[in-house]
C-alpha cells in the first residue's frame, strides 16, 4: 500500500488574504526558518486526545501505548512510512533466506539505564514474559508464532513453523519493546509505573490523564540523538482545546485526525506532517455474543451511513466508499461498503429476534471520552442503528486506560477503531484467527488462508493479491467498517523540526529538535 507522507510548509503569497482573515481568530503565523543542523536542548510537548494505557513493554503494544513505549525502550525495528521499508532500530538486522529461520542481530554494547546489558538474553526474557497468560499481554499471540534461541550476547535465532516473510513487522510493534529484566524482576508490579529501558528517553513522571514526562537518555546508543532534553505527552481530549494549546505555546506538536485543523494550520503558516494509514476511522465488530450471528452483522452494515456520520462530525472531509481508497495500490472495486438499506436490515433484525426468543437486541459501543467529535460520531451511529426496531446501542465513553482495557479484553460489541499503522500486515494482526490484535475473536477460514498466502510468498504481486482477497471477505462479513480514511496530522510550532510520524498517532521524539 502506497503511503502518502506530506510535509506542508508555510503558506504562499497566494494565501495571504486567507491568512489575514484568520488573524482575527487569534491564529498568528510565524515565519519558519530553513532547517539547519539539529541542535541539542529544550522541551517538546505533544498533545493528543488520550493517553497510553501502559508503559510496561508486555502490555503497551497497541496503538495508544506504542508511542511512549518506543520513546522509553526504543524498538527493535521500525517501519518507515515514507519508504515503506523495515529499518533497523535497537537491532542492527533481522534476516532470513527461507522465511522460516531468521537471525536477529543486536547492537553491541547497548545498556539499559540501570547499567545492565541490553542483550539477546534480555530480548528472550521479554518475549518469554509476553507468553505468560497472567500478563494478559496483547503481544502473546505474536510471541506464540515463533521460537527463539540465544546464540551469543548479540544474536538470536528466531524460527517460524511456516515460512513468514512478513515476520519483521512483528518486531516493529508487538515484539518491539524490551525492558530491563533486572528492573522487571526487582520491581514486580511497580515496573509499570517506573519502567527501565534502553531507548532515547528515560521515564520521569506520569500524572494520569494529564501528562507523562520523559527526559533524555544520555547513554542512548545513537548519539547525539535524542536532541531534546525533555519530551512530554499531554492529554487534551478536545481538538479545539489542543489547537488552542498549540497557539498558546502549551504544546509544540498537536495530533489530530480531522482535516479541518490541518487546513486551518496550513492557512496560519504552521507546519503539517501527515501520515496515511491502512483502513480508516470507524468501528470493529466483535464476533462474540449477538454479533456472532452473520445476519445481525450484515444488518449493522446496512444501517451505517458513512456520509451522514461524515457530514455530522467531519464536514467537508474525504469520505470512504471502499475499504481501500481509489488512489492506493490495494484498491479493489469489489471491496465496497454496502448500500444503506433500512428495510433489509429490519428483516435481518426481525429474523434474529425470532430465532432468539423475541428479546430486544442491546449492543454496546465503546469509544473514548472527552472528544466532542467522537461524541457526535457515537450519537449519530446510535441513531442509525436504532432505526431498526428492536435494536438498541448503548454508548460507553471511557478514558484512555479504560478504552484500552476494553479493546484488549474484547469487552465490547462495537468499538471505535482504526487498524493502526500503514502496512497491510496489520490485517493479519487484527483479523487472522491467531492475530496478536484479534480481540474481537474474528475467525474466518477465507481470511486466514488469504493472509497465510501473504506470509508464505516473497513476491509482491502474490502478496498484494492475497491481501485484496482478505479485504473482500472482511467487507462481505462486516468485520470492520469505517466512514473516513485514517490520516493522522501532526501540526507543529514553527521552531520544531525533525518530526517523523510513526505507528498510528505518534512521532519519533528522538529525531526532533528545536531551532532558535
Amino acid at each position: 500500500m502506497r503511503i502518502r507522507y506530506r510535509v506542508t510548509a508555510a503558506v504562499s503569497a497566494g494565501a495571504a488574504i486567507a491568512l489575514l482573515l484568520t488573524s482575527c481568530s487569534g491564529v498568528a503565523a510565524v515565519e519558519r526558518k530553513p532547517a539547519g543542523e539539529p541542535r541539542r536542548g529544550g522541551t517538546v510537548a505533544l498533545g493528543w486526545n488520550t493517553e497510553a494505557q501502559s508503559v510496561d513493554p508486555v502490555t503497551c503494544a497497541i496503538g495508544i501505548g506504542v508511542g511512549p513505549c518506543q520513546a522509553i525502550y526504543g524498538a527493535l525495528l521500525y517501519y518507515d512510512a515514507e519508504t515503506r521499508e523495515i529499518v533497523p532500530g535497537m537491532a542492527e538486522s533481522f534476516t532470513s533466506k527461507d522465511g522460516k529461520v531468521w537471525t536477529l542481530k543486536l547492537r553491541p554494547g547497548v545498556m539499559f539505564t540501570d547499567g545492565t546489558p541490553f542483550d539477546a538474553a534480555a530480548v528472550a526474557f521479554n518475549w518469554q514474559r509476553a507468553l505468560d497468560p497472567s500478563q494478559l499481554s496483547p503481544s502473546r499471540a505474536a510471541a506464540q508464532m515463533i521460537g527463539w534461541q540465544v546464540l551469543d550476547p548479540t544474536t538470536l535465532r528466531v524460527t517460524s513453523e511456516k515460512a513468514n516473510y512478513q515476520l519483521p513487522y512483528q518486531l516493529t510493534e508487538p515484539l518491539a519493546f524490551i525492558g530491563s529484566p533486572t528492573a522487571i524482576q526487582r520491581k514486580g508490579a511497580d515496573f509499570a509505573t517506573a519502567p527501565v529501558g534502553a531507548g532515547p528517553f528515560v521515564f520521569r513522571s506520569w500524572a494520569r490523564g494529564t501528562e507523562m514526562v520523559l527526559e533524555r537518555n544520555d547513554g542512548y546508543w545513537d548519539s547525539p540523538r535524542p536532541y531534546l532534553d525533555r519530551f512530554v505527552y499531554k492529554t487534551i481530549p478536545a481538538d479545539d482545546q489542543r489547537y488552542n494549546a498549540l497557539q498558546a505555546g502549551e504544546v509544540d506538536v498537536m495530533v489530530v485526525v480531522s482535516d479541518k485543523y490541518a487546513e486551518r494550520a496550513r492557512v496560519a503558516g504552521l507546519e503539517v506532517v501527515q501520515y496515511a494509514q491502512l483502513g480508516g476511522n470507524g468501528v470493529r465488530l466483535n464476533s462474540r455474543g449477538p454479533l456472532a450471528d452473520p445476519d445481525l452483522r450484515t444488518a449493522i452494515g446496512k444501517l451505517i451511513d458513512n456520509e451522514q456520520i461524515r457530514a455530522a462530525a467531519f464536514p467537508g472531509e474525504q469520505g470512504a466508499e471502499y475499504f481501500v481508497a481509489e488512489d492506493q495500490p490495494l484498491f479493489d472495486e469489489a471491496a465496497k461498503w454496502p448500500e444503506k438499506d433500512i428495510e433489509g436490515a429490519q428483516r435481518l433484525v426481525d429474523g434474529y429476534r425470532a430465532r432468539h426468543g423475541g428479546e430486544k437486541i442491546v449492543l454496546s459501543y465503546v469509544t473514548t471520552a472527552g472528544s466532542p467529535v467522537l461524541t457526535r460520531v457515537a450519537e449519530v451511529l446510535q441513531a442509525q442503528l436504532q432505526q431498526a426496531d428492536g435494536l438498541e446501542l448503548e454508548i460507553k465513553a471511557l478514558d484512555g486506560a479504560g478504552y484500552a482495557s476494553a479493546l484488549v479484553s474484547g469487552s465490547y460489541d462495537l468499538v471505535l477503531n482504526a487498524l493502526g499503522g500503514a502496512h497491510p500486515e496489520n490485517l493479519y494482526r487484527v483479523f487472522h484467527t491467531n492475530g496478536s490484535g484479534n480481540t474481537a475473536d474474528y475467525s474466518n477460514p477465507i481470511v486466514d488462508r488469504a493472509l497465510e498466502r501473504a506470509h508464505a510468498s516473497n513476491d509482491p504481486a502474490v502478496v498484494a493479491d492475497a491481501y485484496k482477497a482478505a479485504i473482500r471477505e472482511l467487507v462481505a462479513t462486516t468485520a470492520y467498517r469505517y466512514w473516513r480514511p485514517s490520516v493522522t496530522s501532526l501540526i507543529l510550532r514553527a521552531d520544531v523540526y525533525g518530526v517523523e510520524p510513526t505507528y498510528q498517532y505518534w512521532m519519533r521524539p528522538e529525531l526532533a529538535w528545536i531551532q532558535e
Side-chain angles (χ1 to χ4, degrees):
M1 175 169 285
R2 186 170 182 78
I3 305 304
R4 294 174 294 170
Y5 177 87
R6 183 167 73 250
V7 178
T8 306
V11 294
S12 65
I17 294 177
L19 182 58
L20 287 172
L21 289 174
T22 62
S23 64
C24 64
S25 63
V27 179
V30 179
E31 182 179 356
R32 187 170 174 87
K33 300 176 182 178
E37 289 297 316
R39 58 176 293 275
R40 297 191 79 170
T43 297
V44 164
L46 177 145
W48 179 222
N49 68 9
T50 191
E51 64 180 353
Q53 82 288 358
S54 168
V55 288
D56 186 323
V58 82
T59 55
C60 67
I62 62 173
I64 298 173
V66 291
C69 274
Q70 180 269 313
I72 295 167
Y73 303 107
L76 290 172
L77 301 174
Y78 291 100
Y79 177 64
D80 188 309
E82 185 174 13
T83 65
R84 306 195 302 275
E85 296 176 345
I86 299 292
V87 297
M90 304 299 287
E92 288 185 336
S93 62
F94 188 51
T95 57
S96 176
K97 294 181 179 180
D98 61 1
K100 290 185 177 181
V101 180
W102 296 77
T103 300
L104 178 65
K105 292 293 294 184
L106 304 177
R107 300 182 184 280
V110 176
M111 306 295 286
F112 291 107
T113 56
D114 62 2
T116 59
F118 180 99
D119 58 12
V123 174
F125 175 91
N126 278 260
W127 288 355
Q128 188 64 41
R129 185 169 175 250
L131 287 174
D132 182 351
S134 69
Q135 297 291 340
L136 301 177
S137 173
S139 301
R140 186 177 184 224
Q144 288 176 323
M145 295 171 61
I146 59 174
W148 55 84
Q149 179 184 2
V150 175
L151 300 183
D152 62 48
T154 61
T155 312
L156 291 94
R157 177 185 293 125
V158 179
T159 55
S160 173
E161 183 177 345
K162 298 179 180 179
N164 182 0
Y165 288 98
Q166 313 305 326
L167 191 60
Y169 293 97
Q170 301 298 328
L171 275 63
T172 68
E173 281 191 50
L175 300 176
F177 309 123
I178 307 301
S180 163
T182 300
I184 291 170
Q185 292 171 320
R186 186 177 71 249
K187 297 183 179 186
D190 292 337
F191 183 83
T193 56
V196 176
F201 289 88
V202 179
F203 178 93
R204 287 300 180 222
S205 65
W206 189 0
R208 286 280 188 174
T210 303
E211 67 177 24
M212 180 189 298
V213 179
L214 310 178
E215 294 182 354
R216 180 171 59 217
N217 174 10
D218 289 325
Y220 183 54
W221 70 268
D222 194 17
S223 181
R225 297 170 177 163
Y227 305 111
L228 299 170
D229 292 331
R230 188 175 293 103
F231 193 83
V232 181
Y233 292 95
K234 291 201 173 188
T235 303
I236 306 175
D239 293 346
D240 278 336
Q241 291 175 345
R242 288 199 307 285
Y243 193 71
N244 291 339
L246 182 74
Q247 295 179 65
E250 296 168 7
V251 300
D252 306 285
V253 181
M254 168 190 174
V255 184
V256 70
V257 297
S258 171
D259 286 345
K260 174 177 69 175
Y261 294 92
E263 291 302 324
R264 185 185 299 178
R266 289 189 186 97
V267 172
L270 297 174
E271 197 84 352
V272 180
V273 178
Q274 291 188 309
Y275 178 28
Q277 302 162 29
L278 177 70
N281 304 124
V283 291
R284 196 194 313 183
L285 280 69
N286 210 323
S287 292
R288 307 178 189 90
L291 291 178
D293 187 286
D295 283 353
L296 190 54
R297 297 169 70 90
T298 299
I300 298 296
K302 290 177 178 290
L303 290 168
I304 294 176
D305 184 335
N306 284 13
E307 286 303 300
Q308 188 181 45
I309 294 175
R310 187 181 60 81
F314 310 99
E317 299 187 15
Q318 181 180 354
E321 189 176 356
Y322 300 91
F323 191 105
V324 177
E326 294 178 72
D327 61 348
Q328 302 294 326
L330 290 183
F331 170 71
D332 185 349
E333 288 185 349
K336 185 177 182 180
W337 304 123
E339 298 291 337
K340 183 175 181 179
D341 179 6
I342 297 175
E343 291 183 2
Q346 186 67 65
R347 288 193 294 271
L348 294 171
V349 169
D350 290 344
Y352 176 90
R353 295 179 68 196
R355 296 192 300 273
H356 293 82
E359 295 294 324
K360 177 185 289 188
I361 306 163
V362 180
L363 303 176
S364 66
Y365 172 55
V366 171
T367 185
T368 56
S371 168
V373 171
L374 296 181
T375 298
R376 285 197 295 275
V377 168
E379 292 170 349
V380 174
L381 182 65
Q382 181 184 55
Q384 290 178 353
L385 268 56
Q386 292 181 172
Q387 289 178 100
D389 292 336
L391 182 60
E392 182 177 331
L393 186 69
E394 294 181 344
I395 299 170
K396 295 184 178 180
L398 307 177
D399 63 14
Y403 168 83
S405 176
L407 178 61
V408 170
S409 65
S411 302
Y412 57 84
D413 293 311
L414 296 90
V415 62
L416 176 73
N417 196 231
L419 295 184
H423 192 272
E425 177 60 10
N426 282 296
L427 295 172
Y428 187 102
R429 179 178 62 84
V430 175
F431 296 113
H432 189 277
T433 298
N434 298 320
S436 62
N438 186 1
T439 64
D441 205 24
Y442 181 82
S443 184
N444 184 317
I446 296 175
V447 172
D448 286 355
R449 286 194 295 269
L451 295 175
E452 288 160 9
R453 287 202 308 275
H455 279 189
S457 178
N458 207 20
D459 182 335
V462 172
V463 172
D465 183 69
Y467 284 133
K468 286 183 179 181
I471 288 170
R472 286 194 294 271
E473 184 66 10
L474 292 172
V475 171
T477 56
T478 321
Y480 168 62
R481 174 69 174 269
Y482 69 86
W483 32 82
R484 62 184 296 274
S486 185
V487 178
T488 297
S489 296
L490 302 173
I491 303 174
L492 326 178
R493 290 178 59 83
D495 58 350
V496 179
Y497 289 76
V499 171
E500 291 190 14
T502 190
Y503 306 118
Q504 191 170 356
Y505 305 115
W506 306 115
M507 56 181 275
R508 289 183 58 179
E510 75 275 19
L511 305 180
W513 78 92
I514 298 172
Q515 182 167 306
E516 294 180 347

